Amino acid sequence: MTAPKQAMWPLYAAGFTTAFGAHGIAANLGGSAEDAVTSLLVLGGLLALYDGAEVLLKPVFGTLADRVGGKPVLLGGLIAFALASALYAVADSPGWLWAARLGQGAAASAFSPAASAMVARLNPAAKRGRAFGSYGFYKSIGYTLGPLLGGVLAWAGGLRLLFTVMAGCAVIVAIWAAVAVPAVPPLPRTRQTVADLARRLADRSFLAPTTALAAATAALSVGVGFLPVSGAAAGLGAIATGAAVSVLAATAALVQPWAGRALDAGRLSTRTGLLAGLLITAAGLGAAALPGLTGVLLAAALIGVGTGLITPLGFAALAAATPEARMGQTMGAAELGRELGDAGGPLLVAGVATLTTLAFGYAALAVLLAVIPLVTLLTRRRS
């Protein structure tokens, strides 16, 4: 099924919304909700609510999108996100902040995998690289602008204004999608047992790109979270470290459309792109151990390039290897892998850094990412 180009824009906007919702509020909870965030433990709990809901519910809603069609799940998730955001904007109390954050995470768990599944369903295989590159670009823009725009809104009107804007954004995208995105009816499916699902998810065609996506997300999360720490330790100011993180996000955003177009044109294969992306990302983590601004900027640029290569190619590979009737289930499971990488990467680096230094923490994740291509190449040679 091939959709007109204008049908893709609401899906890209949905990707922006989930990224903006995740980072826009997370970056401003500590400084703009003193009445609700009374300790670091409370802040950690509020941050974990959103991601925890996504880990548990994305595979569920991905499977639901296969059963009833992607558009109802997409619209339902966006409407639920708007309602959850409006809940705190109206109530403005610490208890309702917890409920709103949980509701946002659950809603994003619905419309995020539904949007990525529809990107695959609405584009033929020859154009999926470009489509996922564009989807990743706008999602990266949401991650990049979320903390900045969220900070401006929180400064101007507090968290209530930020939640109000997010509610309005979700409503606009929902209306846009309802008008512009065609219905994608569910396809007939053969009966699938738990054992069948386990075999499919354990197959190399799913496991390899999902592992690469999880590794890229782990590195991206570590770069955003720990490069400012390295910059501060080297005596750099907040502006310099913030610029370095912006370089990472902007590089990842710009590389994704190029990688998708190169895949569709046959100039880049999925396997080569994923392996190169992992090695470049590992090199970026190694560069983070270098002292001063040079190390921080070089790490940001290399991590951005590596993750920008991996993301569209990984999703395009998953779409190519998945029966269209199971596209939502696959995308939901792949998103789960990314969420685990998002949490696992910082935990690994922090754990190693606590016992040694932050440089060794970067090195531990770099080695892990470099081992994946090495194992892949050795396995292929033995075969």
Side-chain angles (χ1 to χ4, degrees):
M1 181 178 184
T2 303
K5 188 175 181 180
Q6 60 267 26
M8 300 304 298
W9 289 107
L11 300 179
Y12 300 156
F16 172 88
T17 301
T18 184
F20 181 64
H23 282 203
I25 293 177
N28 293 284
L29 278 173
S32 304
E34 292 86 355
D35 58 334
V37 180
T38 55
S39 68
L40 289 176
L41 182 62
V42 172
L43 176 59
L46 282 168
L47 293 174
L49 269 181
Y50 193 100
D51 292 331
E54 289 192 308
V55 168
L56 293 174
L57 296 177
K58 275 186 173 179
V60 176
F61 283 116
T63 302
L64 181 64
D66 290 333
R67 291 181 179 275
V68 303
K71 188 172 182 178
V73 178
L74 174 73
L75 297 180
L78 287 166
I79 293 169
F81 190 91
L83 292 175
S85 302
L87 181 66
Y88 179 75
V90 173
D92 189 23
S93 69
W96 287 114
L97 177 59
W98 287 82
R101 199 60 180 156
L102 179 61
Q104 284 183 327
S109 302
F111 71 80
S112 180
S116 57
M118 292 186 73
V119 169
R121 288 284 308 274
L122 291 174
N123 287 277
K127 294 184 178 180
R128 282 176 180 165
R130 182 190 299 265
F132 277 113
S134 298
Y135 181 74
F137 171 81
Y138 288 102
K139 203 166 184 177
S140 295
I141 293 297
Y143 287 132
T144 305
L145 295 182
L148 176 61
L149 294 180
V152 171
L153 292 169
W155 171 79
L159 277 185
R160 292 185 72 181
L161 177 60
L162 177 54
F163 273 83
T164 300
V165 170
M166 287 190 172
C169 180
V171 169
I172 291 171
V173 176
I175 295 173
W176 192 7
V179 173
V181 177
V184 181
L187 297 173
R189 300 177 302 161
T190 57
R191 181 177 176 81
Q192 177 180 255
T193 65
V194 174
D196 294 332
L197 175 61
R199 279 193 295 270
R200 189 161 64 84
L201 297 185
D203 188 81
R204 184 183 179 86
S205 62
F206 173 85
L207 208 53
T210 301
T211 301
L213 288 168
T217 308
L220 191 63
S221 183
V222 165
V224 171
F226 287 95
L227 285 181
V229 177
S230 296
L236 303 176
I239 295 177
T241 55
V245 174
S246 297
V247 166
L248 190 159
T251 305
L254 292 173
V255 168
Q256 289 189 61
W258 173 86
R261 290 193 296 270
L263 176 67
D264 290 343
R267 299 192 304 270
L268 182 67
S269 70
T270 300
R271 181 176 178 276
T272 300
L274 291 179
L275 294 180
L278 287 167
L279 291 174
I280 293 171
T281 305
L285 289 166
L290 298 176
L293 181 62
T294 301
V296 173
L297 286 177
L298 184 60
L302 289 174
I303 292 172
V305 171
T307 57
L309 271 174
I310 292 168
T311 303
L313 302 185
F315 278 113
L318 288 170
T322 301
E324 293 213 353
R326 303 285 183 185
M327 195 66 72
Q329 185 181 68
T330 294
M331 294 302 170
E335 290 281 1
L336 170 59
R338 296 185 77 196
E339 294 295 336
L340 294 176
D342 193 20
L347 285 175
L348 172 64
V349 172
V352 174
T354 300
L355 298 175
T356 55
T357 64
L358 184 54
F360 281 100
Y362 290 134
L365 185 58
V367 169
L368 186 62
L369 265 64
V371 164
I372 298 173
L374 180 61
V375 170
T376 302
L377 291 173
L378 289 176
T379 303
R380 181 182 178 89
R381 183 173 295 176
R382 287 174 183 173
S383 300

